[in-house]
Amino acid sequence: MPHTHSRHGSSGDDLCSTDEVKIFKDEGDREDEKISSENLLVEEKSSLIDLTESEEKGQKIARPDHSPVFNKLDTHAPSFNMGYLVSPYSYANGAPSGLPVTMANKIGLPPFFCHNADPLSTPPPAHCGIPPYQLDPKMGLTRPALYPFAGGQYPYPMLSSDMSQVASWHTPSVYSASSFRTPYPSSLPINTTLASLLPSVHATSHHVINAHAAIVGVSSKQECGVQDPTTNNRYPRNLETKNPSNTQSNDSKDTNDKKKPHIKKPLNAFMLYMKEMRAKVVAECTLKESAAINQILGRRWHELSREEQSKYYEKARQERQLHMELYPGWSARDNYGYVSKKKKRKKDRSTTDSGGNNMKKCRARFGLDQQNQWCKPCRRKKKCIRYMESLNDNGPAEDGSVFDEHGSDDDEDDFDDEKLEGSCGSADETNKIEDDDSESLNQSMPSPGCLSGLSSLQSPSTTMSPLNMNANSTSNVVFPATSNALLIVSSDQTTAQQRSTLVSNSGSSSGSTSSISTTPNTSSTVSPVTCTTGPCPGSSQERAMMLGNRFSHLGMGLSPLVVSTSTSKSEPFFKPHPTICNNPIFSLPSIGNCSLNNSIMPNTSRNPIGANPRDINNPLSINQLTKRREYQNVEMIEASESKTIVAHAATSIIQHVAVHGYHANHSLLNSSLNQHFHHQLNNRTEKPNRSEQKMLSVSSHSVNSSECHKESDSQAIASSKTSSAGSSDNGVISVS
DNA sequence: GGACCTTTGAAGCAC
DNA sequence: GTGCTTCAAAGGTCC
């Protein structure tokens, strides 16, 4: 309605937008405009034929073709509207053999039901009386009753051709027509006509009006509890009784006054996708926790091709269109504050926000010396604040420029949170793990009351993070800013062959790291769904991750597992250095082929799988964990920066250059550093200067695997020190 | 019992 | 125009 039309003006821009979402949406908007105009015409004409329709429908209703759907599916029907309205039953035999695959797609069946020649892709004929959506193993049977508006309350509009299609696929999926049977008094021309037009897939003897799931009682959840298993309607009986014969206007108004139906928002593309895919993911991952599943789905969503997504955008567009048609006066604003939880949420969030602000305010107001006057959240995060303060002083800007520099654009908006997250287990804690960890544990365990965002941060997970972060930062030498850093670890600790592979991968392009991580900055890429590319390679990975490999995301372990599954099934892409495997510091359960002794992971046992969404070990926290990991790596690099290591790194590079010569376009020195390195290395080859070595801290860190080598792997250090070209390889590769 | 978690997208609102 | 907020689904978890 208004908003929709108002959006039309921006369609042009949307088309130019790089956001494919908008593109899809825009296309839909234009069609919506067309549909709207068509509907107006149809509505006018419908009034002229209502009586005839109502009479005819009584005779024809038994016909199973439910034309609008199938008519619409019949290739082209430009004049469909009128022709349909006059003669809604276009099928000659009136008995479509079954729902086309496209229909199956549209009715919300999971992909494995819809694609290709799967027998299930062809739902039973409508006359069987089995709603196609029942095919859905999970959602189908539980699918709520759709848009159960009372008979005259939200009459189906005269559907245009497009809308007919919408209704056709919508009916089974969202606008269930299973149980709401309205007599449609002749006094309601539109309704009667609509009733005949409605794709009563169930081919009951009565007209079936689609009850839109968007309408919920005052309490949707309560209504949901009344779901009728026989009809798949979430709001079956009560509304059904509401629909009786004289449904009309007077009742609707009274009903609205007495009990305002809650008209839910139409599902967007992603929601539709989730509805379809949830069951599949649940089956694959044996997960039931929606939050975790949603994470997977969210990543899969991004992995979908443009075309695949466009399907859902189109569906969503149609959803909105139909919703708009059904509830012309409805606005998303109407649902604001629905369930009264708005107030609480708002309160919580205001608390959260105030807490977040207070963290700054407290620090600003009371200063670090008077933390006892800080509010609770601030006290909890005092280290974070402290660290961030020092961090800001040291370089990594609050704006996340460090990450941006490496192309981390997706999570820029999260960086603020990440800062806090990462800082919770950050560098300064490295040197006082026990103290801080325990403290953090004590403080963060009672996450309730915490900000939603911070709650997870402060969840037990965070308490673990120091240790894990130690492992991360020290072991993987992952430079956080870029996924290439993942290669650093590998390059440093793999065989020459593997190293070459890594080099080639890293040298190919920045995107080459996608083999390990689809996107550089989003930890999510590393996470389970990363390997979903392909038939469903990720399922096992996801499952594995969900079932206990979560630690792999906490640091070095993240890429190895993913890589091993995604790139090479036979041989892991990443082989951790024995030092890492044997070093208790690296307290990850498994790294590639390296099976770490779980005994050195004191915290792993305390995290039942998927038990608590707030638990860091829970896959729900993958993003945050990985983000934190990345950030923590930065912190660790900053914090553990040692001149000795730096010097060694610089020496390694210099030696490499000295031995192999320096090439301006050396693949190991990418463009961003070329110029700088060129200048620096020229100077260093002549006279290495340690004072400048800090500039190479990044690579040096990689070379030395940070504190791991420094503190517990003297052998590695020795080898790297003694090695000339070899060590330089390590270092230089890490640079790339 | 209800809020939270988690995801993306749409819509509304404030500035 | 931009940024923030709310809500949509889902079900386990927590208070």
Side-chain angles (χ1 to χ4, degrees):
Chain A
M1 314 296 320
H3 56 276
T4 300
H5 293 293
S6 65
R7 295 166 55 94
H8 293 164
S10 62
S11 61
D13 296 340
D14 290 343
L15 285 173
C16 298
S17 173
T18 56
D19 186 354
E20 58 188 22
V21 174
K22 289 185 177 180
I23 291 174
F24 303 142
K25 181 179 64 180
D26 178 70
E27 292 173 353
D29 289 344
R30 281 179 293 172
E31 292 184 10
D32 292 346
E33 197 170 2
K34 179 183 175 182
I35 292 172
S36 299
S37 60
E38 291 177 352
N39 287 339
L40 291 176
L41 179 63
V42 170
E43 228 176 292
E44 289 182 2
K45 294 177 180 177
S46 65
S47 62
L48 302 175
I49 60 173
D50 53 351
L51 291 178
T52 305
E53 281 291 321
S54 59
E55 293 176 358
E56 291 178 354
K57 91 188 164 180
Q59 301 172 350
K60 297 178 180 179
I61 188 64
R63 304 181 69 170
D65 97 317
H66 326 299
S67 33
V69 181
F70 303 104
N71 253 342
K72 187 59 186 169
L73 292 172
D74 194 12
T75 59
H76 310 291
S79 60
F80 171 79
N81 284 337
M82 278 309 298
Y84 168 73
L85 290 174
V86 173
S87 177
Y89 314 102
S90 60
Y91 273 110
N93 57 7
S97 59
L99 290 175
V101 174
T102 53
M103 262 301 285
N105 231 343
K106 290 183 174 183
I107 60 177
L109 292 178
F112 47 85
F113 284 135
C114 305
H115 294 334
N116 49 50
D118 189 319
L120 291 177
S121 64
T122 309
H127 63 270
C128 293
I130 302 173
Y133 52 83
Q134 289 183 347
L135 291 174
D136 188 321
K138 180 176 185 295
M139 297 169 293
L141 292 176
T142 61
R143 181 148 296 168
L146 316 161
Y147 291 27
F149 54 82
Q153 185 173 357
Y154 294 104
Y156 248 114
M158 298 312 297
L159 301 180
S160 66
S161 59
D162 288 341
M163 286 306 301
S164 300
Q165 183 181 8
V166 172
S168 68
W169 64 262
H170 222 312
T171 296
S173 71
V174 179
Y175 307 93
S176 168
S178 57
S179 68
F180 299 92
R181 296 162 186 178
T182 29
Y184 304 115
S186 58
S187 60
L188 294 177
I190 293 180
N191 267 351
T192 52
T193 304
L194 177 62
S196 65
L197 296 176
L198 283 177
S200 51
V201 180
H202 311 298
T204 60
S205 58
H206 309 282
H207 286 293
V208 177
I209 189 167
N210 291 347
H212 200 290
I215 295 188
V216 189
V218 175
S219 174
S220 63
K221 288 190 175 182
Q222 293 172 354
E223 292 284 351
C224 295
V226 197
Q227 177 174 348
D228 186 351
T230 62
T231 58
N232 296 331
N233 287 322
R234 194 159 44 165
Y235 331 99
R237 305 300 182 195
N238 52 349
L239 288 175
E240 187 174 7
T241 57
K242 268 190 213 167
N243 282 348
S245 39
N246 49 351
T247 47
Q248 280 326 314
S249 43
N250 51 351
D251 289 351
S252 63
K253 276 195 173 182
D254 293 341
T255 302
N256 284 333
D257 294 339
K258 293 177 181 177
K259 184 179 180 181
K260 273 191 176 181
H262 175 62
I263 303 173
K264 294 185 178 181
K265 294 174 65 175
L267 302 186
N268 60 36
F270 179 70
M271 288 294 158
L272 292 171
Y273 172 76
M274 282 210 311
K275 267 199 155 188
E276 274 194 12
M277 299 300 294
R278 176 178 296 278
K280 183 179 179 181
V281 173
V282 169
E284 290 177 352
C285 301
T286 64
L287 284 175
K288 289 185 177 180
E289 196 166 348
S290 294
I293 295 170
N294 290 348
Q295 275 198 339
I296 295 173
L297 289 172
R299 290 164 187 169
R300 287 191 178 185
W301 172 255
H302 288 296
E303 292 174 357
L304 286 179
S305 66
R306 193 187 189 88
E307 294 177 354
E308 288 173 325
Q309 284 189 350
S310 66
K311 296 176 185 176
Y312 294 97
Y313 284 114
E314 177 65 15
K315 286 182 180 180
R317 183 191 66 79
Q318 294 174 343
E319 282 265 2
R320 292 194 303 273
Q321 179 66 22
L322 181 57
H323 192 279
M324 203 184 339
E325 298 281 349
L326 290 172
Y327 320 113
W330 180 86
S331 170
R333 181 183 54 187
D334 298 344
N335 291 359
Y336 276 32
Y338 174 65
V339 188
S340 76
K341 61 184 177 184
K342 175 187 177 184
K343 287 183 179 179
K344 190 168 192 306
R345 278 186 180 177
K346 225 178 180 182
K347 186 179 178 181
D348 293 342
R349 290 187 180 177
S350 63
T351 303
T352 296
D353 293 340
S354 62
N357 293 332
N358 285 341
M359 285 195 286
K360 297 177 181 177
K361 290 178 181 177
C362 289
R363 186 179 60 180
R365 289 165 57 190
F366 304 109
L368 295 173
D369 298 334
Q370 300 178 357
Q371 293 185 22
N372 57 341
Q373 298 183 21
W374 291 10
C375 65
K376 193 175 180 180
C378 289
R379 288 199 300 270
R380 285 176 179 168
K381 290 292 181 183
K382 59 182 179 181
K383 284 179 297 186
C384 304
I385 295 171
R386 283 174 178 172
Y387 179 74
M388 285 313 302
E389 186 170 288
S390 64
L391 185 66
N392 293 336
D393 295 338
N394 289 339
E398 287 183 352
D399 59 359
S401 58
V402 171
F403 292 86
D404 296 343
E405 179 180 348
H406 296 272
S408 65
D409 47 14
D410 293 343
D411 294 332
E412 288 177 7
D413 54 339
D414 297 330
F415 186 71
D416 288 338
D417 290 341
E418 293 170 18
K419 288 188 295 185
L420 294 177
E421 290 175 315
S423 59
C424 287
S426 53
D428 57 355
E429 294 180 355
T430 305
N431 297 331
K432 43 181 179 177
I433 294 172
E434 293 182 359
D435 180 20
D436 289 348
D437 188 29
S438 60
E439 180 182 356
S440 175
L441 179 65
N442 294 334
Q443 291 177 345
S444 61
M445 283 295 286
S447 54
C450 236
L451 325 170
S452 60
L454 293 177
S455 62
S456 59
L457 303 180
Q458 295 179 343
S459 65
S461 59
T462 306
T463 63
M464 293 185 57
S465 48
L467 181 60
N468 291 332
M469 284 188 304
N470 262 349
N472 296 344
S473 59
T474 56
S475 64
N476 58 13
V477 195
V478 173
F479 186 66
T482 170
S483 61
N484 286 343
L486 298 177
L487 297 177
I488 295 173
V489 177
S490 303
S491 63
D492 191 28
Q493 299 167 353
T494 54
T495 63
Q497 182 179 357
Q498 292 169 332
R499 208 175 302 139
S500 63
T501 303
L502 293 171
V503 171
S504 64
N505 285 339
S506 62
S508 61
S509 69
S510 59
S512 64
T513 57
S514 62
S515 62
I516 296 176
S517 172
T518 53
T519 59
N521 73 345
T522 52
S523 48
S524 57
T525 58
V526 181
S527 67
V529 191
T530 301
C531 36
T532 58
T533 57
C536 184
S539 60
S540 61
Q541 177 65 27
E542 293 165 358
R543 212 175 301 131
M545 184 281 297
M546 296 300 181
L547 294 179
N549 286 334
R550 293 182 297 274
F551 279 94
S552 65
H553 298 79
L554 297 180
M556 55 195 176
L558 79 157
S559 55
L561 291 177
V562 176
V563 170
S564 62
T565 56
S566 61
T567 59
S568 174
K569 294 180 180 178
S570 59
E571 182 177 0
F573 186 67
F574 167 79
K575 287 185 177 179
H577 193 283
T579 300
I580 297 177
C581 299
N582 300 328
N583 195 329
I585 292 177
F586 307 105
S587 58
L588 291 180
S590 65
I591 303 173
N593 287 343
C594 176
S595 299
L596 292 179
N597 185 358
N598 287 336
S599 63
I600 65 176
M601 303 173 54
N603 290 326
T604 56
S605 60
R606 57 182 283 269
N607 298 284
I609 296 165
N612 183 359
R614 300 184 182 92
D615 193 329
I616 193 170
N617 292 321
N618 190 297
L620 303 181
S621 303
I622 292 168
N623 277 341
Q624 294 174 348
L625 293 177
T626 48
K627 288 174 183 175
R628 172 167 53 242
R629 180 199 68 240
E630 294 171 354
Y631 180 70
Q632 288 165 349
N633 287 330
V634 177
E635 297 170 347
M636 292 304 300
I637 290 174
E638 295 288 342
S640 64
E641 190 171 296
S642 168
K643 287 186 176 181
T644 302
I645 297 174
V646 172
H648 173 67
T651 302
S652 299
I653 297 174
I654 293 168
Q655 287 174 344
H656 174 79
V657 174
V659 172
H660 300 288
Y662 170 71
H663 305 286
N665 294 327
H666 199 296
S667 61
L668 301 178
L669 301 174
N670 64 17
S671 58
S672 62
L673 299 175
N674 260 343
Q675 187 174 0
H676 175 71
F677 271 101
H678 189 272
H679 176 70
Q680 296 298 330
L681 292 174
N682 284 339
N683 294 335
R684 292 171 185 276
T685 50
E686 297 174 356
K687 183 180 181 180
N689 183 4
R690 288 200 171 194
S691 64
E692 299 174 352
Q693 289 168 348
K694 188 174 181 179
M695 303 179 70
L696 303 173
S697 60
V698 172
S699 62
S700 69
H701 204 81
S702 303
V703 171
N704 293 281
S705 297
S706 79
E707 295 179 352
C708 166
H709 293 262
K710 181 180 67 177
E711 295 178 356
S712 61
D713 193 358
S714 60
Q715 183 179 0
I717 294 177
S719 64
S720 62
K721 284 183 177 179
T722 55
S723 62
S724 58
S727 63
S728 64
D729 279 346
N730 294 339
V732 177
I733 289 171
S734 64
V735 171
S736 65

